[in-house]
Amino acid sequence: KNESKQQASNPYDIHLQLGSSTTNPSQAESNLSFVQPSSTTIQKPFPFFLSALLPHCTVSINMPHKIPLNVLLDLPPAEFLSALGGIYEKSPWIVEAFCNATLSPNLDASVIQANKETLSNVRLLFAAIEKFMRNADKEKQLELLRSHPDLCLKIDAASCREEQDIDITPESVHEQRRANLSSLTPEERRTFTSLNNEYKTKLPFPFILAVRNASKHTVLSALRGRIHGTLEEEVECALFQVNKIAWMRLLDIVDCPEGSDGHGGFLTCHVLDTANGIPASGMRIELYRWENGGEGVQRKQLIGSFVTNSDGRLNGPALAGKAFQVGTYEWNFHVGDYFAKYSSSRIAGTPFLDVVPLKFGLDDPTEHYHVPLLVSPWSYSTYRGS
């Protein structure tokens, strides 16, 4: 009833899944969407209120709808800057420099159009923007690094519902929550604080890590390893991490044009039977996507089921076009069933390998990811192909 009122003030899409299980296809479902794409203000009280009011619902909060790439490139420079200026932490000058050199109305219209035609996917757009960060002088790069919040400040923000009291951008708050840093034990917090303070005494900028898809254990391991780096090594590593953060933020904002076939990436698979020296034909495979279920809980959703052909491959990409989304996925290979047809395999009552899971990440919607399996009844291996 209040949808029209909320639409003007709440920047989130809010989805309510009725019931405690998501496995029943007949389950009732209600989706409420409140969208304000131009807003970057995080308003937490409303989602927290919903969680308290509806304890038997799954509440997921998504950032505003993405902007199609072709629409983004046609925006006036000021609106383009408003949309992308925050991908580099508190450093809109990078996107502004890109705009001035590429999309400025001071350029000839034919030049602007030619520039747009070179930016046919999100990776090409990011490469063009990143160039202005890489070509900046050392002091500007150090200024960029110093713009990032202190690690301990991020941890405090991840534990705090009143983010406005902490000097950290909404983008950083969103990333820290996904890393679940609020779950630190007192001992872990003391370790983080000690190592972080040691890092800050050695280097003129805070410890920077793209934590969105990292666990607290990843963050702690990275801090322990990098604390011994030289200034030159850490500047280069920190800039690399800054670019990873900017890339993930860009993917949150930019979509492929309506009606297009995505940004060009696709996923393939090939299974080789190393015990018999042949392609593994007729093997059942499932593909799942891992999703954040809230409160640091991950759950996987079935994307598709496949059977390998006579060459041990699928009959086409498992993911392609707009279905090819950045995220964490998992192959499940039914190797026990496959090897049961060979008398030489001598499969035990309880197979040593039955279902082989391979969990992997897709980070770039423009690339070909080939994730194969080389398998016998007693061993397996994989690699990132192309």
Side-chain angles (χ1 to χ4, degrees), residues 4 13 40 140 195 203 207 212 237 242 264 333 338 353 378:
S4 60
D13 290 345
T40 57
K140 289 291 286 183
L195 290 172
L203 296 158
F207 175 77
R212 177 181 300 198
C237 185
V242 163
F333 298 91
Y338 166 81
L353 294 178
W378 312 279

Side-chain angles (χ1 to χ4, degrees), residues 148-158 168 176 181 184 191-193 195-197 199-200 206-209 211 219-220 223:
H148 280 257
D150 182 83
L151 175 65
C152 290
L153 190 63
K154 291 182 177 184
I155 293 172
D156 290 339
I168 184 171
Q176 308 323 312
L181 293 181
L184 289 173
T191 301
F192 269 93
T193 302
L195 290 172
N196 189 56
N197 288 339
Y199 186 94
K200 290 189 295 184
F207 175 77
I208 300 171
L209 184 71
V211 300
V219 179
L220 183 56
L223 183 52

Side-chain angles (χ1 to χ4, degrees), residues 82-103:
S82 176
L84 297 190
I87 64 172
Y88 284 98
E89 186 83 4
K90 298 181 182 179
S91 303
W93 58 268
I94 299 170
V95 175
E96 186 176 19
F98 165 81
C99 280
N100 291 339
T102 310
L103 304 174

Side-chain angles (χ1 to χ4, degrees), residues 353-368:
L353 294 178
D354 187 11
V355 178
V356 171
L358 285 182
K359 196 173 182 181
F360 59 97
L362 305 181
D363 181 63
D364 190 331
T366 71
E367 292 190 351
H368 173 201

